[in-house]
Amino acid sequence: MSKKSHLGTRSVWSGEETYLMEGATQVPVVHSVSFGYKDLNEWLAVSLGQKPGHIYSRNTNPTVQAFEEKIRDLEDAESTTSAATGMGIISSTLFALLSSGERVVSVKDTYGGTSVIFSEFLPKYQIKATLCDTTNHEQIKAEVLKGCKVLYLESPTNPTTKVMDIAQLAKAAHSVGAIVIVDNTFATPINQNPLHLGADLVLHSASKYLGGHADALGGVICGKKDLVKKIYHFREINGATLEPMSAYLILRGMKTLDLRIQRQNENAMKIAQFLESHSAIERVYYPGLTSHEGHQIARQQMRGFGGMMSFMLKENSLEAVGRFIPRLRYAHAAANLGAVETIVGPPATTSHVECTKEERAQLGIPEGLIRYSTGIENVDDLIDDLKYALKAFA
Ligand SMILES: *Cc1c(COP(=O)(O)O)cnc(C)c1O
């Protein structure tokens, strides 16, 4: 697809411009484990990658490929590969690119599963992860300049929506020859393209905004061809392959990605402003608010501020959160995010369930914090819902 088309058009069409089967206008879900070749020469050519085609669905599959092509185009990347889950692509990436004795620099606020890889699994292979204070750009740069193989970033972060200056940090990392990876799950390619800011690889948990309907798990990474090839090779052998049915559901969800994200950006901004002015609320963490620490950086590197926010009740306790959540009519209380429905949950049961109360405090996550994933509902209904729930806390 021509790069001149807008993201809204590309969300609909990319990866789906040619019919795969008998003129079917929708991408078929190809459940076949393998692909047959009567001609041995052709079989060999496809196997060796000299001719396009598929051999075995653990490696590649037409439905999965259509999904990969859509996200590749939206991220303006050279190449892409996918995995069964976001963690599948994150672990494949780190294990494919790092070797023992090497070092990765990252931040304390990465997604919970990612930080477990850094703290528990990489050290088993003598790979050291140095985790900096998330918004301390000077510290991150200083650690990077000591030399590292990978700089791993996530912006905005979960759950307090901290923002990192991707362009500035990527520049420092490139000066020591490091590979820059950005988890773009919260922003989506509609709001932010890390590759345009200098990252080498951008990844997503497709289980969140890309799919958008909380009915399929998936993960995907896009970027430089030589790096993606290594990640693909690891995933192909490690076997955490994306299911064709999940790929189809995510692909279908992605047709409305631009629509959904525009709506979520608008809803979240209004809700954040409403919450910030409410007397029962201590603090709102949303990059679109001028009161947000990373607002200026977010303005520079994002086209929209996203649907994710968190807020803290004045009554700062998990017990208060437990009383607040059931008063909401239009919100699932659940661990996921990025769906069409609004979803709420405290970090204590979602992103930071593995931490103790003290560890959460150290990370600057108050017990009275509520993560709020704004849905696509009518914003007046969502605000009325919050108003009602907050009445008990006035
Ligand atoms: C959910 C999430 C992941 C992990 O994705 P799964 O699909 O659940 O494995 C990684 N990063 C971020 C920012 C996430 O929100």
Side-chain angles (χ1 to χ4, degrees):
M1 171 118 335
S2 150
K3 288 289 178 283
K4 286 184 199 116
S5 309
H6 292 90
L7 289 167
T9 307
R10 285 150 69 188
S11 297
V12 176
W13 281 100
S14 295
E16 304 190 52
E17 292 141 73
T18 50
Y19 300 143
L20 290 182
M21 198 191 79
E22 312 235 2
T25 60
Q26 301 308 309
V27 171
V29 185
V30 180
H31 284 295
S32 190
V33 162
S34 68
F35 300 84
Y37 297 90
K38 295 232 161 91
D39 179 339
L40 280 189
N41 290 325
E42 191 191 0
W43 189 354
L44 188 64
V46 174
S47 294
L48 295 174
Q50 293 158 352
K51 208 180 161 222
H54 305 277
I55 297 292
Y56 189 64
S57 279
R58 194 186 71 238
N59 306 352
T60 67
N61 168 282
T63 312
V64 173
Q65 199 170 52
F67 154 67
E68 289 171 343
E69 177 54 22
K70 196 185 275 299
I71 182 72
R72 184 199 66 72
D73 186 66
L74 290 173
E75 288 288 13
D76 271 339
E78 258 173 43
S79 186
T80 174
T81 192
S82 60
T85 63
M87 285 316 302
I89 206 68
I90 293 168
S91 57
S92 296
T93 299
L94 293 170
F95 285 107
L97 300 181
L98 289 156
S99 303
S100 88
E102 290 178 337
R103 192 169 80 106
V104 48
V105 173
S106 189
V107 295
K108 288 181 183 156
D109 283 63
T110 53
Y111 177 75
T114 310
S115 61
V116 172
I117 297 190
F118 290 146
S119 62
E120 187 178 337
F121 291 105
L122 292 183
K124 293 214 298 193
Y125 304 93
Q126 286 75 51
I127 300 162
K128 191 173 169 359
T130 305
L131 306 181
C132 304
D133 289 334
T134 303
T135 53
N136 188 340
H137 287 73
E138 294 315 312
Q139 188 195 1
I140 302 169
K141 277 190 280 183
E143 285 299 335
V144 161
L145 294 176
K146 288 179 193 165
C148 64
K149 180 69 185 282
V150 164
L151 170 65
Y152 186 101
L153 303 174
E154 187 179 315
S155 183
T157 62
N158 191 0
T160 51
T161 67
K162 288 179 186 152
V163 171
M164 276 155 270
D165 188 328
I166 296 171
Q168 187 192 124
L169 297 173
K171 205 170 152 196
H174 287 152
S175 76
V176 294
I179 301 164
V180 180
I181 305 172
V182 178
D183 183 335
N184 203 29
T185 301
F186 269 35
T188 82
I190 305 303
N191 284 333
Q192 174 172 279
N193 291 115
L195 299 181
H196 293 171
L197 300 165
D200 302 295
L201 292 164
V202 53
L203 66 87
H204 292 270
S205 166
S207 327
K208 313 290 173 51
Y209 285 104
L210 298 188
H213 294 72
D215 56 4
L217 293 162
V220 66
I221 194 157
C222 308
K224 299 219 166 98
K225 206 170 179 169
D226 55 330
L227 298 173
V228 169
K229 198 173 164 189
K230 287 182 190 167
I231 300 161
Y232 161 75
H233 180 57
F234 185 90
R235 198 273 298 148
E236 161 204 19
I237 299 306
N238 145 287
T241 302
L242 181 61
E243 277 284 322
M245 191 62 210
S246 299
Y248 176 77
L249 288 169
I250 299 165
L251 176 91
R252 185 169 72 163
M254 282 183 72
K255 290 177 203 250
T256 56
L257 184 66
D258 184 66
L259 263 184
R260 285 187 282 112
I261 299 300
Q262 299 304 342
R263 173 73 161 228
Q264 283 162 323
N265 286 345
E266 285 168 23
N267 281 2
M269 192 67 208
K270 286 184 188 155
I271 289 168
Q273 284 167 341
F274 160 75
L275 289 170
E276 195 170 43
S277 67
H278 197 286
S279 60
I281 299 292
E282 178 68 31
R283 189 168 165 191
V284 182
Y285 302 78
Y286 183 64
L289 295 174
T290 49
S291 59
H292 187 279
E293 188 193 13
H295 178 67
Q296 281 312 323
I297 304 170
R299 284 192 84 91
Q300 282 164 33
Q301 69 187 19
M302 300 179 80
R303 287 181 288 265
F305 301 111
M308 293 304 302
M309 74 183 82
S310 58
F311 54 91
M312 185 183 161
L313 297 169
K314 280 224 167 96
E315 213 179 314
N316 182 22
S317 71
L318 197 54
E319 186 273 323
V321 175
R323 278 186 285 121
F324 172 79
I325 286 178
R327 290 178 62 85
L328 291 171
R329 180 175 171 194
Y330 297 121
H332 288 307
N336 68 311
L337 59 95
V340 290
E341 303 96 357
T342 294
I343 308 160
V344 295
T349 59
T350 59
S351 57
H352 290 72
V353 64
E354 279 157 32
C355 301
T356 63
K357 196 173 165 176
E358 289 69 33
E359 285 169 335
R360 281 193 290 273
Q362 264 188 357
L363 286 168
I365 297 169
E367 290 301 285
L369 196 75
I370 296 158
R371 186 177 74 182
Y372 190 89
S373 168
T374 316
I376 64 165
E377 299 93 338
N378 181 293
V379 71
D380 295 334
D381 291 334
L382 294 179
I383 290 177
D384 282 348
D385 207 18
L386 286 162
K387 262 186 203 160
Y388 172 78
L390 287 169
K391 254 188 203 153
F393 296 83

